[in-house]
Amino acid sequence: MQIAKDVVALIEYTLKDDSGQTLDTSVGRGPLGYVHGHGNLIPGLEAQLEGKSVGDTFKVSIPPAQAYGERSEEAIHKVWRRQLPPDAEIKVGMQFQAQSEHGTQVVTVIGVDGDRVMLDGNHPLAGMTLHFDVKIVETRAATAEELQHGHVHGAGGHHH
Ligand code: ZN
C-alpha cells in the first residue's frame, strides 16, 4: 500500500541539524506512526512521504518554512520572575511548557536579569533546516476511530 491520505504509516527516522548533530531519532524507541494527510507531521516531511511504500528509504532537507517556521522576535517576552512558578530555579537554557492562545507551547529561558526573565516562545526547532533520514516500515489503512481522532492508535501511536 502506497502512502496517501488516510493511510497509516510507521516510519523509522533520524533528524539532524546543519552540523550533523542528531536532534531526534526513532532508534531505540520504535517507529513513529502517523495518519497521512492529517497534519501529524511537518508539511515538508509529509510531502516527501506521499506515494512511498514499505521498504522505501529517503533523505530530505527541509527548510524552516516547511518545518517549524522562521524564528519570530515577537515570540520573545520579558516577564517578571514572580510570574513564573515560585519553586522553579530559573536558569538560562531551561525549558518549560506554557499555555497560550495557541495551546501548549515550549518556552525557553534565554536571559535572567535580576527579577526580569527573558522567555523565547519560538519552537526549539524554529529557524532550522531539518535533515531527515527516513525508512517506511509499515503501511495500512487507518481505522474509522483513527480517522476520527486524527492520530494513530496502538503500535507507534497513542494508547488510550
Ligand atoms: Zn485517539
Side-chain angles (χ1 to χ4, degrees):
M1 179 181 283
Q2 286 190 322
I3 296 177
K5 185 159 171 41
D6 299 343
V7 169
V8 168
L10 268 64
I11 62 171
E12 289 173 353
Y13 71 94
T14 296
L15 165 61
K16 293 181 176 174
D17 65 13
D18 281 333
S19 71
Q21 191 193 339
T22 298
L23 301 173
D24 189 18
T25 179
S26 66
V27 173
R29 224 175 32 201
L32 168 76
Y34 81 102
V35 188
H36 194 78
H38 290 258
N40 292 175
L41 304 180
I42 55 173
L45 186 56
E46 195 159 35
Q48 287 295 316
L49 284 156
E50 179 89 26
K52 297 286 195 297
S53 308
V54 171
D56 285 351
T57 60
F58 64 88
K59 288 180 193 291
V60 60
S61 296
I62 302 172
Q66 293 296 309
Y68 292 96
E70 300 290 350
R71 290 182 54 79
S72 163
E73 291 306 309
E74 288 169 21
I76 295 174
H77 299 282
K78 244 182 192 174
V79 300
W80 295 104
R81 173 66 184 84
R82 64 174 178 273
Q83 291 175 263
L84 301 171
D87 51 341
E89 189 194 348
I90 304 297
K91 284 189 298 198
V92 171
M94 71 176 287
Q95 295 183 326
F96 54 93
Q97 302 215 321
Q99 300 297 328
S100 76
E101 65 268 35
H102 307 298
T104 303
Q105 63 180 144
V106 176
V107 172
T108 307
V109 176
I110 57 171
V112 182
D113 180 14
D115 54 2
R116 296 294 267 167
V117 179
M118 292 269 279
L119 298 178
D120 184 352
N122 285 292
H123 189 283
L125 300 180
M128 294 174 66
T129 297
L130 304 179
H131 306 275
F132 281 94
D133 218 320
V134 178
K135 181 181 183 185
I136 292 88
V137 295
E138 187 182 329
T139 58
R140 62 174 169 82
T143 65
E145 194 184 40
E146 285 172 331
L147 291 177
Q148 197 184 358
H149 289 199
H151 57 231
V152 170
H153 291 168
H158 291 241
H159 298 270
H160 67 115

